[in-house]
Amino acid sequence: KQEVTQIPAALSVPEGENLVLNCSFTDSAIYNLQWFRQDPGKGLTSLLLIQSSQREQTSGRLNASLDKSSGRSTLYIAASQPGDSATYLCAVAPATGNTPLVFGKGTRLSVIA
Amino acid sequence: GAGVSQSPRYKVAKRGQDVALRCDPISGHVSLFWYQQALGQGPEFLTYFQNEAQLDKSGLPSDRFFAERPEGSVSTLKIQRTQQEDSAVYLCASSLGDVQKLFFGSGTQLSVL
């Protein structure tokens, strides 16, 4: 059974810092991996989707990498801003295709002005 | 519509009551997913539809939970005889295909007293 772990569970940084969020998964047979952002009381917003054949994806100040063989992904946030404060969730789609995303518990990020 | 719409936004139920949660997916999205998110946890899969067919209901925690999507668009998640442990945010998501980018609604926060 696929398990997704995110470290750290919570992170507090001063504004302007670069930071890395980590995600690991137990079964390397994945179709894709997505990073989501969740604001309090809100649903999830997809930030980046990396196909299993890709190594990384970039969007603005965000960069996500994928190392399928080692079961790891990182989300890099450059020049963090208070508006980046949210919970970041990692989710993997198993390679079988018809099975649903498996989520980690998330990393709660606070960026202090 | 512009995004996935869920109603009601909040629902308070007395233990033993039946509740019905509604999801309007993005128009044209074939796949629809229901997830349950307990406080401080990542979303947990409940059930999945492709058009009107319920392809996977392995995540439904008990036979008190029932979901339908009779015309392949709007979906309803019904919980009978609610229990306190059913208190959670229920998230609906839709996509063009089962392993494509997921778009989430804001969720229904259910509190069972």
Side-chain angles (χ1 to χ4, degrees), chain A residues 31-32 34 36 38 40-47 49 51 89 93-94 97-106, chain B residues 9-10 33 35 37 40-45 48 50 55-56 89 91 98-107 109:
Chain A
Y31 194 88
N32 61 41
Q34 292 186 58
F36 292 87
Q38 185 172 33
K42 300 286 180 64
L44 283 65
T45 300
S46 181
L47 298 172
L49 183 152
Q51 300 292 351
L89 292 154
N98 278 338
T99 49
L101 292 185
V102 179
F103 283 84
K105 293 183 178 181
Chain B
R9 184 73 182 87
Y10 302 95
F33 300 81
Y35 283 83
Q37 187 176 24
Q41 303 296 311
E44 296 278 347
F45 169 75
Y48 156 57
Q50 190 171 81
L55 298 187
D56 188 344
V89 175
L91 295 166
D98 56 344
V99 288
Q100 302 303 312
K101 189 172 179 179
L102 280 190
F103 294 83
F104 279 82
S106 296
Q109 184 171 328

Side-chain angles (χ1 to χ4, degrees), chain B residues 2 5 11 17 23 32 43-45 47 49 53 60-61 64 71-72 83 85 88 94 101 106 109 111:
Chain B
S5 177
K11 177 68 179 177
Q17 272 187 328
C23 174
L32 185 145
E44 296 278 347
F45 169 75
T47 186
F49 291 85
L60 296 176
R64 296 185 296 104
E71 298 179 357
Q83 304 293 316
E85 61 263 28
S94 69
K101 189 172 179 179
S106 296
Q109 184 171 328
S111 299

Side-chain angles (χ1 to χ4, degrees), chain B residues 72-108:
Chain B
S73 56
V74 172
S75 177
T76 303
L77 176 67
K78 297 179 179 178
I79 309 173
Q80 297 177 325
R81 304 181 304 281
T82 52
Q83 304 293 316
Q84 282 189 319
E85 61 263 28
D86 300 335
S87 296
V89 175
Y90 290 85
L91 295 166
C92 176
S94 69
S95 71
L96 287 169
D98 56 344
V99 288
Q100 302 303 312
K101 189 172 179 179
L102 280 190
F103 294 83
F104 279 82
S106 296
T108 293

Side-chain angles (χ1 to χ4, degrees), chain A residues 51-109:
Chain A
Q51 300 292 351
S52 62
S53 58
Q54 297 175 321
R55 297 284 291 182
E56 65 178 343
Q57 282 286 332
T58 298
S59 175
R61 294 183 293 107
L62 305 180
N63 175 277
S65 68
L66 174 64
D67 184 343
K68 198 173 68 166
S69 61
S70 67
R72 294 182 182 178
S73 176
T74 61
L75 178 66
Y76 175 83
I77 302 177
S80 59
Q81 303 171 357
D84 295 330
S85 299
T87 296
Y88 292 81
L89 292 154
C90 169
V92 299
T96 49
N98 278 338
T99 49
L101 292 185
V102 179
F103 283 84
K105 293 183 178 181
T107 294
R108 191 171 65 255
L109 173 66

